Amino acid sequence: MADEVILLDYWPSMFTMTTTKIALAEKGVAYEYEETNPWVKTSLPNEMNPIHKKIPVLIHEGKQICESLIQLEYIDEVWSNTYPILPSDPYQKAQARFWGDFIDKKFYDPSWKVWGTIGEEQVTAKKDLLEHFKTLETELGDKPYYGGDVFGFVDIALMGYYSWFKAIEKFGEFSIEAEFPKLIQWTKRCLERESVVKSIADSDKIIEYAYVLRRKLGVE
Amino acid sequence: MVTGDVKLIGSWASVFVMRARIALNLKSISYEFLQETFGSKSELLLKSNPVHKKMPVLIHADKPVCESNIIVQYIDEAWSSYGTSILPSLPYDRAIARFWAAYIDDKWFIALRSILTAQGEEEKKEAIAEVEERTEHLEKAFIECSNGKPFFNGDHIGFLDIALGSFLGWWRVVELDANHKLLDETKTPSLFKWAERFCNDPAVKPLMPDTANLAEFARKLFPKPQP
């Protein structure tokens, strides 16, 4: 159904509209893409997402779905006849949801604080982030993907952050590849997928944007 | 499914543990309840949830499932032919239920808890105002989701009912602490009536903790500074 799927996004969004784009691409679903700047007040995002007042929003047949992991599950359930994102086994599904939740809850905060803050706050964020990278690398183990042989939910959720890795390395002053080589190998495998390549943002543009945000936040 | 191969690590006072227990009751699954001792974490808990080290943990055929909302969904899927459906059947309704469940944990609960941890009257008043505002969002959510039926999930309690309803014991405790109605019949009439229906559901009634016991437990968990 090439009908009425709209993504309302701000292009370097940390909220992983990347994940939503990857999922739609994996499913072969066409969509219209609209950009909006969160620093510019418009009536549309607030109306669409009155609770958190943050984008991105997936709009399908006029209905709004917010939050990237919720969007991922929605996409998987609506377009269920093609490329499954979540495993069908309830236990495997629960494991995938657990790691998606981990990335959403634990990873997000330190991953922006590493470039968005200074001093003690930044030091703590870096420490936490390194710990979470380690946990994620350990969970991956020797599997090609988080889902095993198949690229899926957790891979998509974590690749949502990929565009920010360079910025994290620059401002955090560490090399993800040096510390977590298996994780970088996994990113390279994911980058072989067309759905990923066409959904991620340019890492250098993200660094430029990080500078802009740092000035706005008063840390640059 | 073989009964006797389901265990749940938890505590009588925990909202999150209650979610799992309600779900198990809805599916009529018998399980062994492993009560954690307050102030310490058992070997089994630490082994079964090494990442977060928190309850509840459902152990089904020796395989652990963690995070209350994930456990509830697991129960619904693993025992899909038992009892009533916990998640709605349509993808959009499921997305809405998940959105509000996340809102309850990420925004509403945080506000509720900050009443208990508030330092001084000013902070407490602010926290109360925040809870009231957020509860009004939930009132609208109830009207939208229930569509005239008794529960968020329709005719039977489901995922979102469980996500919010499990807080009712603590909700009352915080009301007492704040000396202020936090579930107000005039401000949020639909939620007020829903709460009573929820607490009377046979899957919930035996699990809802006694308010006095919970209040005493709250004093241990959130000790007030000595004047």
Side-chain angles (χ1 to χ4, degrees):
Chain A
M1 291 200 284
D3 56 306
E4 312 107 78
V5 176
I6 302 170
L7 299 189
L8 203 59
D9 189 18
Y10 177 50
W11 69 268
S13 171
M14 197 107 167
F15 295 101
T16 57
M17 190 118 251
T18 306
T19 63
T20 314
K21 287 182 203 164
I22 295 173
L24 288 167
E26 288 287 333
K27 296 283 189 183
V29 176
Y31 57 87
E32 263 173 55
Y33 177 71
E34 286 173 24
E35 255 175 40
T36 176
N37 187 328
W39 302 103
V40 171
K41 292 212 192 319
T42 66
S43 61
L44 200 51
N46 288 351
E47 190 203 311
M48 289 299 183
N49 194 347
I51 296 301
H52 295 297
K53 291 182 166 52
K54 56 187 196 210
I55 42 175
V57 187
L58 167 74
I59 306 171
H60 179 222
E61 294 175 336
K63 298 180 295 230
Q64 316 144 25
I65 297 101
C66 309
E67 306 296 316
S68 62
L69 296 185
I70 294 176
Q71 290 165 356
L72 229 55
E73 293 222 38
Y74 177 81
I75 290 165
D76 204 30
E77 288 165 11
V78 170
W79 290 279
S80 56
N81 56 335
T82 171
Y83 200 90
I85 290 172
L86 274 165
S88 52
D89 172 71
Y91 182 72
Q92 298 304 330
K93 204 182 263 199
Q95 294 306 104
R97 284 179 177 141
F98 175 87
W99 287 104
D101 180 71
F102 175 86
I103 291 162
D104 208 29
K105 296 234 160 59
K106 295 278 209 180
F107 199 78
Y108 173 71
D109 241 21
S111 64
W112 81 259
K113 284 182 175 170
V114 139
W115 56 261
T117 64
I118 44 171
E120 270 305 311
E121 205 176 352
Q122 200 245 17
V123 168
T124 306
K126 181 178 167 179
K127 182 173 150 285
D128 288 344
L129 193 60
L130 286 170
E131 209 179 286
H132 299 328
F133 267 129
K134 181 147 210 324
T135 303
L136 287 166
E137 195 183 53
T138 306
E139 173 56 24
L140 179 66
D142 293 315
K143 305 196 293 288
Y145 301 105
Y146 279 93
D149 290 322
V150 180
F151 177 79
F153 190 77
V154 183
D155 305 283
I156 297 174
L158 189 52
M159 277 310 280
Y161 286 88
Y162 177 76
S163 306
W164 289 88
F165 280 9
K166 221 172 173 184
I168 286 168
E169 286 177 311
K170 181 186 171 61
F171 295 103
E173 291 172 348
F174 69 95
S175 156
I176 300 175
E177 181 149 26
E179 306 273 348
F180 310 105
K182 278 190 175 165
L183 210 56
I184 293 301
Q185 269 170 44
W186 162 81
T187 64
K188 290 186 174 139
R189 267 192 293 277
C190 295
L191 288 164
E192 286 169 10
R193 300 182 83 80
E194 197 188 323
S195 64
V196 173
V197 167
K198 67 181 208 178
S199 305
I200 53 174
D202 183 304
S203 294
D204 292 320
K205 289 213 173 117
I206 294 260
I207 291 179
E208 269 172 46
Y209 178 64
Y211 273 116
V212 169
L213 280 181
R214 281 167 65 86
R215 280 192 285 274
K216 281 202 154 83
L217 292 164
V219 304
E220 185 76 29
Chain B
M1 284 290 130
V2 179
T3 55
D5 93 345
V6 182
K7 298 180 174 64
L8 184 73
I9 305 176
S11 151
W12 65 274
S14 162
V15 167
F16 307 102
V17 171
M18 194 186 308
R19 287 176 177 167
R21 298 181 84 178
I22 294 172
L24 288 165
N25 281 359
L26 284 172
K27 300 287 188 182
S28 305
I29 304 296
S30 11
Y31 61 97
E32 192 187 343
F33 185 59
L34 302 169
Q35 168 81 43
E36 286 282 297
T37 310
F38 177 67
S40 70
K41 293 180 195 234
S42 69
E43 277 293 315
L44 185 62
L45 174 62
L46 296 174
K47 196 181 93 175
S48 314
N49 192 357
V51 174
H52 300 304
K53 305 178 175 53
K54 283 184 178 177
M55 58 171 111
V57 181
L58 180 80
I59 305 177
H60 181 207
D62 294 323
K63 293 190 290 201
V65 181
C66 308
E67 293 300 297
S68 63
N69 287 337
I70 293 174
I71 292 172
V72 171
Q73 290 181 87
Y74 173 79
I75 291 167
D76 197 30
E77 288 157 9
W79 289 281
S80 55
S81 55
Y82 289 50
T84 50
S85 265
I86 297 177
L87 272 283
S89 49
L90 296 175
Y92 179 67
D93 296 334
R94 292 156 73 88
I96 293 299
R98 286 173 179 139
F99 174 83
W100 286 110
Y103 177 79
I104 286 161
D105 284 356
D106 299 342
K107 305 280 180 199
W108 182 86
F109 163 56
I110 303 302
L112 188 75
R113 191 174 61 186
S114 65
I115 294 177
L116 285 178
T117 58
Q119 305 289 325
E121 278 312 302
E122 257 322 296
E123 222 178 276
K124 194 171 254 191
K125 265 168 70 179
E126 272 170 34
I128 290 171
E130 204 163 60
V131 171
E132 287 184 322
E133 189 192 319
R134 292 175 184 189
T135 307
E136 273 167 37
H137 283 306
L138 294 176
E139 169 84 0
K140 291 197 189 97
F142 177 79
I143 293 165
E144 191 187 300
C145 297
S146 65
N147 209 18
K149 301 232 168 136
F151 299 105
F152 282 93
N153 202 43
D155 292 312
H156 307 284
I157 70 172
F159 184 70
L160 195 47
D161 301 278
I162 295 171
L164 184 61
S166 301
F167 277 104
L168 283 162
W170 278 96
W171 207 329
R172 280 185 216 112
V173 165
V174 179
E175 266 189 343
L176 291 172
D177 182 87
N179 195 26
H180 185 102
K181 267 198 202 164
L182 293 171
L183 184 58
D184 192 311
E185 193 166 4
T186 48
K187 291 185 183 161
T188 54
S190 307
L191 275 186
F192 187 85
K193 293 189 199 90
W194 161 84
E196 207 174 306
R197 285 193 292 272
F198 181 83
C199 290
N200 284 322
D201 189 283
V204 175
K205 208 161 178 177
L207 298 172
M208 196 55 78
D210 172 75
T211 308
N213 288 343
L214 203 54
E216 195 188 319
F217 182 79
R219 283 189 280 276
K220 268 199 274 186
L221 208 55
F222 300 100
K224 299 288 178 190
Q226 294 306 314

